[in-house]
Amino acid sequence: LFLALFAFAIAIAGATALVIFWPLTLVHLRDRHPQIAERFGPGAFLNPRALWWVLGGDYRGTPDRSLSGLATPTRISLLVILFGLAMGGVLWVIGKAMA
């Protein structure tokens, strides 16, 4: 169960990075790429469409190095969250099965 808690801690670290980089990415989109920001609407922070956009790497189609520099850590943090939650869940089930 310790490893499961550790995996959940990794997911929390990813969430912390997401809270730092995702708003910066959204502000950059609002200021420099309003046509992309319009697709997500005003409440884009937890909009699944916006999160899938960054998770899928669709930001790489925009020739803006600053956007890529902000969106790449956002994408990595989303992947870390998903990985941490998945591994934590698997390890928790294994830990419960062995107890």
Side-chain angles (χ1 to χ4, degrees):
L1 288 177
F2 171 75
L3 292 176
L5 290 174
F6 184 68
F8 288 128
I10 290 173
I12 291 169
T16 303
L18 180 72
V19 169
I20 293 169
F21 285 103
W22 187 223
L24 294 172
T25 304
L26 290 173
V27 167
H28 183 82
L29 284 174
R30 183 194 66 200
D31 293 345
R32 298 204 180 157
H33 304 284
Q35 70 281 5
I36 296 172
E38 287 175 5
R39 294 190 314 197
F40 306 142
F45 187 78
L46 292 177
N47 185 341
R49 188 181 200 180
L51 292 171
W52 278 112
W53 177 80
V54 76
L55 190 60
D58 295 339
Y59 60 88
R60 290 181 284 189
T62 305
D64 183 355
R65 292 179 57 160
S66 297
L67 176 61
S68 182
L70 289 169
T72 300
T74 303
R75 182 177 187 217
I76 292 169
S77 67
L78 280 172
L79 291 171
V80 167
I81 291 168
L82 294 174
F83 175 77
L85 290 175
M87 290 307 299
V90 168
L91 291 169
W92 181 75
V93 168
I94 291 171
K96 286 296 185 178
M98 294 180 89

